[in-house]
Amino acid sequence: MTETLQRPLRVLAAMSGGVDSAVAAARAAEAGHDVTGVHLALSANPQSFRTGARGCCTIEDSRDARRAADVIGIPFYVWDLAERFREDVVEDFVAEYEAGRTPNPCLRCNEKIKFAALLDKALALGFDAVCTGHYATVVTGADGDRELHRASDMAKDQSYVLGVLDERQLAHAMFPLGDTLTTKDEIRAEAERRGLAVAKKPDSHDICFIADGDTQGFLANRLGGTAEGDILDESGTKLGTHEGAFGFTIGQRKGLRIGHPAPDGKPRYVLDISPVDNTVTVGPVEALDVTALTAIKPRWCGTPPSGPGAYTAQLRAHGGETEVTAELTDATLHVTFTEPVRGVAPGQAVVLYDGTRVVGSATIATTVRRERAAAS
């Protein structure tokens, strides 16, 4: 069953300036906990205003978080974690793209910032738990251990980006929104009833530290400008050129600018990215079919699995589940898909589930493509 706390806790509520974290903090306070709000300053040079619904951590966001804390009636602070965020999230993001991999910065932020740097500091200051506006649930198992489970509402579930949390971190995590079957409109209506001005504030999306949404431009600037390379087909024939392999992701269809159609007239997709020779290989969609993968740096939400087992896996933050068998061997996770899946890229996270329980997360290192019949 979902854990019911037996005593009021000292809770540090991470308040981004958005509606979810504000309502989560309000619910924690309403439940009788001693709540303090904190806004994480993650940018060394925060902008005054957001760009529409993009980005976060602006001066406007910190002010919105402070106003929400005032309405809730809780103390509020701003903590500067910009340098830690730059090192652990932004630089990791750039390095992964430079190596031809596709990282998930939100997952890395949860691992390194919100439930490592923030939680460690909170515990050192005497807090019992960190509260966030994520949609997930912490459940106490029959043996008393903490487990991470999907949110009650699958449409809002965010357990994928929390799959990096270990049992110790889960013991100090609080997700007040996770076990309520409410739509986002109802969360906004609740915020309005509570007098929170963020009730109608648009959600942030995409990558928070790239406020204009131009990921390729951001990477080009960080990696020293554009470097022209070749776009090849599966046989190695040159089809065109590009301005930097870092601007592509596995499975990408749009923006290839090849200029002439494939012989069969069907669309082509990015199959491989080679940063060593700065080439991008494209081909038909069926060439993206992956039957197995290996993943490294596993993080377990509890006891690591032993022996091969049947699970479901999620490969993207907003993706569906697929049936797999998985086995951990010498710190490497070997995953085999029951049915081929497409668009799997090194650098992404594979998160294993046992029903609604999150087993753990690992970073995809290699993939095995399905063999295709030779063209006649």
Side-chain angles (χ1 to χ4, degrees), residues 21 35 46 82 117 120 122 146 177 213 221 223 242 246 261 281 317 340 344-345 366:
S21 60
V35 180
D120 289 347
R146 308 294 180 95
L177 306 187
N221 181 62
L223 296 174
H242 60 77
F246 53 77
T281 301
V344 183
T366 63

Side-chain angles (χ1 to χ4, degrees), residues 169-192:
Q169 293 168 326
L170 290 175
H172 300 284
M174 182 182 292
F175 307 120
L177 306 187
D179 59 357
T180 53
L181 286 169
T182 53
T183 66
K184 191 57 178 278
D185 287 341
E186 289 171 318
I187 291 292
R188 292 189 181 281
E190 178 179 339
E192 194 159 12

Side-chain angles (χ1 to χ4, degrees), residues 62-141:
S62 65
R63 290 171 179 167
D64 287 343
R66 183 180 297 278
R67 283 190 287 265
D70 288 343
V71 171
I72 297 168
I74 59 176
F76 178 82
Y77 300 92
V78 175
W79 287 359
D80 184 359
L81 292 179
E83 183 62 21
R84 181 74 180 266
F85 183 78
R86 182 190 65 79
E87 293 177 357
D88 289 343
V89 179
V90 180
E91 296 302 333
D92 174 79
F93 176 84
V94 173
E96 287 293 284
Y97 262 102
E98 186 176 22
R101 297 185 288 266
T102 305
N104 186 311
C106 294
L107 187 147
R108 195 65 58 229
C109 182
N110 284 324
E111 176 188 359
K112 299 290 188 179
I113 305 300
K114 294 176 182 175
F115 290 96
L118 176 62
L119 178 57
D120 289 347
K121 187 172 182 178
L123 294 177
L125 291 172
F127 288 95
D128 300 301
V130 165
C131 163
T132 73
H134 287 101
Y135 290 88
T137 57
V138 178
V139 171
T140 300

